[in-house]
Amino acid sequence: MQLHQTISYMKIFLFIIADVYGIEEKLLFSTLNNLKEIDLDTGMVRTLKSQSGYIYSMAYNHKERYMYVPRYHIGDIVRFPYPNDFTVVFESIVSASYPVGISFDSVNNHLYWTELYYPGSVMRCNTDGTDLRVILNETQPAAIALDMHNRWIYYGQQILPSQIFRSNFDGMGITVIIKDLPAKVYGLGVDVNVKRLYWMEFQTGDLQSACFNGSDVRTIVSTNAKSKNWDIATDGDFIFYTSSNKIMKISKSLQHNPTVVYTDTDIINGILLYKQNGKNTSLKKYYEIQFILHYSVTIIL
């Protein structure tokens, strides 16, 4: 008796695309001639807009997905949709007298900014530029940061010696938090989790930190770049800051050395961290599945 068994093999290839969700992080920054972005994951740099004039700060509205930019010499605040993979077109929403610092109140959908001259003030408007208001008058206010949790405005000055002030969101209850600084202050940031204020001293190049009431002043790092230290952006345990033509990153903890994130050919002024949860890539995988098919069995007697 002889047994013959016929067996056939079939392979099936499955092509699967899996979306991966993560955190997209980009730094937007300004030079004299360009507004740019750098992808912190890939290191890729893209020019968003070629422009002429100083931009010292930026603010972002996550809900409406607009970036807001004060143009110092032109004298207005513009906005544009962001993220933006196309040509950036500025939309001017409100006139401003030498605007320097800007920040966004995500609770009430208000823009706050500083006007350096005539007479010098902290201003507010809606996201489309309507309902323009003077919140308070001050001598050459420059940097501004908002504490959304406690509803406080912090702002620094361009004069020497300079001060850092705190007020309510309606401009009342003004208090001097930091007195007699030996440098102008263009960069401010707050961390409500640890209840600390961070600022960059323009002339000295010292990145400083203090409690919200102005106590426990600490020097995080000295940049050694005199008169070329503009803006900062805080993120969790880290601070990004501009120093001359570089963007640096350093831990908020003391006794850490900074790392260079990016080097440009021009002086870097304003900086903003864009951070968004969402889909950012796809994984493509091939899977091979092998089936054994029994076609027939032949028995010979």
Side-chain angles (χ1 to χ4, degrees):
M1 182 176 67
Q2 188 175 12
L3 176 66
H4 293 276
Q5 191 175 37
T6 303
I7 301 174
S8 176
Y9 295 90
M10 181 173 64
K11 293 181 180 180
I12 298 176
F13 294 91
L14 297 180
F15 177 57
I16 296 177
I17 301 178
D19 289 324
V20 177
Y21 290 80
I23 298 176
E24 181 183 20
E25 289 185 310
K26 293 183 180 180
L27 281 173
L28 281 79
F29 60 96
S30 61
T31 65
L32 179 61
N33 298 308
N34 294 291
L35 182 63
K36 301 180 181 181
E37 68 172 12
I38 177 171
D39 190 314
L40 293 179
D41 183 41
T42 65
M44 293 183 60
V45 178
R46 181 169 73 104
T47 298
L48 298 174
K49 180 78 171 178
S50 295
Q51 52 88 37
S52 180
Y54 289 106
I55 294 173
Y56 296 115
S57 60
M58 287 160 278
Y60 188 63
N61 178 351
H62 280 273
K63 182 179 179 180
E64 298 178 353
R65 300 171 71 85
Y66 272 108
M67 194 69 64
Y68 289 88
V69 178
R71 298 192 293 182
Y72 180 79
H73 284 105
I74 296 175
D76 68 353
I77 293 175
V78 299
R79 69 179 183 179
F80 62 92
Y82 190 84
N84 192 332
D85 294 327
F86 305 99
T87 302
V88 168
V89 177
F90 284 161
E91 174 193 2
S92 181
I93 63 165
V94 66
S95 297
S97 178
Y98 300 98
V100 179
I102 192 168
S103 192
F104 181 67
D105 174 9
S106 59
V107 176
N108 295 310
N109 289 330
H110 287 149
L111 279 173
Y112 287 81
W113 70 93
T114 59
E115 295 188 355
L116 199 61
Y117 300 119
Y118 314 127
S121 55
V122 174
M123 307 292 295
R124 191 187 80 191
C125 72
N126 294 332
T127 57
D128 60 357
T130 59
D131 194 22
L132 177 64
R133 300 187 183 188
V134 178
I135 299 301
L136 59 90
N137 292 316
E138 187 58 73
T139 304
Q140 297 187 33
I144 187 171
L146 302 182
D147 176 355
M148 236 69 68
H149 180 74
N150 297 296
R151 311 301 293 167
W152 286 333
I153 301 172
Y154 290 93
Y155 61 93
Q157 291 178 296
Q158 183 176 262
I159 62 175
L160 289 177
S162 64
Q163 325 283 345
I164 295 178
F165 299 84
R166 185 180 74 191
S167 80
N168 299 329
F169 269 42
D170 58 4
M172 304 299 290
I174 299 174
T175 303
V176 177
I177 300 301
I178 305 294
K179 299 180 179 180
D180 300 327
L181 290 171
K184 304 170 185 178
V185 177
Y186 296 107
L188 271 174
V190 296
D191 186 338
V192 297
N193 293 321
V194 296
K195 299 180 180 179
R196 294 195 70 85
L197 177 71
Y198 300 89
W199 71 93
M200 174 61 76
E201 297 184 357
F202 180 71
Q203 284 89 354
T204 64
D206 289 343
L207 178 61
Q208 304 271 44
S209 170
C211 294
F212 280 169
N213 61 5
S215 63
D216 190 29
V217 177
R218 305 175 186 177
T219 299
I220 297 175
V221 67
S222 295
T223 68
N224 297 318
K226 303 300 181 182
S227 299
K228 296 179 181 179
N229 308 276
W230 289 97
D231 205 5
I232 68 173
T234 60
D235 174 44
D237 295 330
F238 297 95
I239 299 174
F240 297 91
Y241 63 92
T242 67
S243 181
S244 187
N245 65 330
K246 292 180 172 60
I247 297 175
M248 311 293 291
K249 179 181 179 181
I250 192 169
S251 171
K252 290 178 181 177
S253 303
L254 303 181
Q255 309 301 323
H256 285 81
N257 294 321
T259 58
V260 178
V261 176
Y262 171 75
T263 302
D264 201 276
T265 56
D266 294 323
I267 300 297
I268 299 173
N269 298 318
I271 185 174
L272 180 140
L273 176 66
Y274 168 81
K275 195 170 184 178
Q276 181 71 41
N277 293 326
K279 182 173 63 179
N280 59 7
T281 187
S282 294
L283 290 180
K284 300 178 180 179
K285 292 186 178 181
Y286 291 95
Y287 291 92
E288 177 184 308
I289 301 176
Q290 179 174 282
F291 291 91
I292 302 176
L293 301 180
H294 297 267
Y295 279 100
S296 63
V297 176
T298 304
I299 299 175
I300 301 175
L301 298 176

